[in-house]
Amino acid sequence: MDNICKICNLEVSEKSHFWKTHKIKIEDYYKKYFPKADLLTGEQIPFKSPEQYLSSDFTDKNNLKKYLESVTKEKGLSYLCEWLKKRAKDKNLVYSPSQFELRTLCYPSIKFFHKFYGEHAYGTICHFAELKDRYDYKQKLEYDDSIPEILIDTREQTVLNLKCPKEIIKLNFADYSCKENKFNVFVERKSVQDFLGSVSSGFDRLCREMQRAKDSNAHIIILIESKISNLFGFEHLGFIHSEASADFILKRARDLLVKFDNVQICCVDGRAKASEFIVNLYKMKNDPRAVDFQFCVDSKLI
């Protein structure tokens, strides 16, 4: 969509233009001049932001799934392919979106693709959208029998209870590494509250750290010690506070993953699971840089 106001035909540079110039709320402007209805139910698409509104064809992911189940698989895949092609163009995507990214969008997860369309379907539509593969979803995870020695950064405030040998030293990146880190992969552990701060007020600082890691050919896994559903609804969790909305936080997270191809985000269910994740990560024979860990967690593969 262009930035020309449909009322006065002037270029819009600020969101406040509609109210200041025409005394119309931005939500009412978009609903009037860009009406959008749910493809399944025909009801009005709710407005949260111009980007969300214009990119949405359903009121929620449940309606999307019901729609896909109501049409032929060919029609469903055609819709999903066109949606992904448009997003790839709008966002200048290079790589196919990860499981974490897809779960934060009104779009099926990779796990849904595999179950409903087959294991090759997601890769096929990403190919048609001219997106490169970042992760290998066909590989089987394999592990060493030996227990790794984990390195923990001296600045780590709440050390995980790792059931393995460990040493506290100053790391160049993140919070956790391994003594024999042949793939140069590091783990940045975060609580939900830590993550909210990092992708809102601390976003520039986070980007600088990820850039330093990229310059050193290091791969960073941002490991959130909470279920991914808590990121969607943290506003309703009494023990978590942020002035930013969930939509803003998730958009910032996706922006980070698009900007840095050496970074991925993975949510696990609590600190015990985070501890298990780190030990299993450094026991892995596979190249972790080719593993979509949110997909593995969701599929109970790790």
Side-chain angles (χ1 to χ4, degrees):
M1 188 202 79
D2 58 35
N3 293 322
I4 303 301
C5 175
K6 296 293 184 181
I7 301 174
C8 62
N9 292 321
L10 295 177
E11 185 173 356
V12 178
S13 58
E14 297 180 354
K15 293 180 180 179
S16 59
H17 165 87
F18 306 106
W19 180 251
K20 286 182 177 179
T21 306
H22 306 295
K23 295 297 184 278
I24 184 173
K25 294 180 180 178
I26 187 171
E27 175 180 353
D28 295 333
Y29 169 82
Y30 276 93
K31 286 182 176 180
K32 179 177 181 178
Y33 292 98
F34 302 92
K36 296 203 70 178
D38 187 298
L39 294 182
L40 178 72
T41 66
E43 61 186 307
Q44 172 75 52
I45 298 290
F47 181 92
K48 296 179 181 178
S49 68
E51 178 187 11
Q52 163 271 330
Y53 179 75
L54 294 175
S55 65
S56 298
D57 294 317
F58 300 91
T59 58
D60 55 42
K61 191 172 285 195
N62 284 332
N63 278 7
L64 164 63
K65 290 181 179 178
K66 289 178 182 178
Y67 170 80
L68 295 175
E69 291 166 353
S70 71
V71 300
T72 64
K73 290 190 175 182
E74 290 76 14
K75 185 174 181 179
L77 283 172
S78 177
Y79 164 79
L80 294 172
C81 185
E82 291 304 314
W83 189 95
L84 188 59
K85 285 170 66 176
K86 182 178 185 304
R87 182 170 182 80
K89 181 180 179 182
D90 292 344
K91 297 294 182 180
N92 296 315
L93 301 184
V94 175
Y95 293 99
S96 54
S98 65
Q99 174 84 346
F100 178 89
E101 292 168 90
L102 296 183
R103 288 198 61 185
T104 68
L105 294 165
C106 191
Y107 198 77
S109 68
I110 297 168
K111 188 178 177 183
F112 178 90
F113 269 100
H114 286 190
K115 182 178 179 180
F116 196 71
Y117 294 112
E119 292 187 358
H120 302 291
Y122 183 61
T124 299
I125 68 167
C126 288
H127 173 75
F128 282 119
E130 299 183 350
L131 295 170
K132 297 179 182 178
D133 293 329
R134 179 178 288 183
Y135 303 114
D136 180 3
Y137 295 98
K138 300 174 186 176
Q139 63 180 318
K140 181 179 179 181
L141 301 186
E142 299 182 66
Y143 301 92
D144 281 324
D145 294 329
S146 58
I147 302 299
E149 181 174 352
I150 303 299
L151 305 179
I152 304 171
D153 186 63
T154 53
R155 294 159 295 184
E156 168 67 311
Q157 297 293 312
T158 52
V159 176
L160 293 168
N161 183 21
L162 301 168
K163 296 179 180 179
C164 64
K166 43 194 171 288
E167 180 183 354
I168 296 179
I169 65 170
K170 188 177 186 305
L171 297 176
N172 292 327
F173 317 105
D175 301 311
Y176 296 87
S177 181
C178 178
K179 197 161 190 179
E180 297 183 8
N181 193 353
K182 61 181 178 179
F183 295 110
N184 210 24
V185 174
F186 297 77
V187 175
E188 174 81 6
R189 181 207 58 80
K190 291 189 179 297
S191 67
V192 173
Q193 189 70 64
D194 293 336
F195 183 73
L196 299 183
S198 293
V199 295
S200 53
S201 59
F203 191 66
D204 289 342
R205 178 183 177 183
L206 179 63
C207 287
R208 288 195 296 271
E209 183 179 3
M210 298 304 103
Q211 185 61 56
R212 284 196 303 107
K214 186 171 183 177
D215 292 343
S216 297
N217 198 31
H219 186 93
I220 306 293
I221 299 171
I222 298 176
L223 182 65
I224 303 172
E225 52 185 38
S226 183
K227 294 184 291 187
I228 193 171
S229 58
N230 286 338
L231 289 184
F232 305 149
F234 70 82
E235 295 145 315
H236 307 293
L237 299 175
F239 60 91
I240 295 175
H241 172 73
S242 175
E243 295 183 1
S245 67
D247 286 336
F248 175 83
I249 292 295
L250 296 173
K251 180 184 180 300
R252 273 286 178 87
R254 292 191 298 269
D255 289 345
L256 182 76
L257 297 178
V258 171
K259 185 172 184 178
F260 296 102
D261 60 4
N262 64 314
V263 177
Q264 65 168 295
I265 301 172
C266 180
C267 296
V268 294
D269 188 9
R271 287 177 59 81
K273 291 292 185 183
S275 301
E276 292 176 14
F277 178 96
I278 290 175
V279 175
N280 286 333
L281 167 69
Y282 291 116
K283 288 175 64 177
M284 190 177 292
K285 292 181 180 180
N286 311 68
D287 183 345
R289 297 168 297 183
V291 176
D292 184 335
F293 284 104
Q294 190 65 62
F295 172 77
C296 292
V297 168
D298 292 347
S299 304
K300 295 180 171 55
L301 299 175
I302 187 173

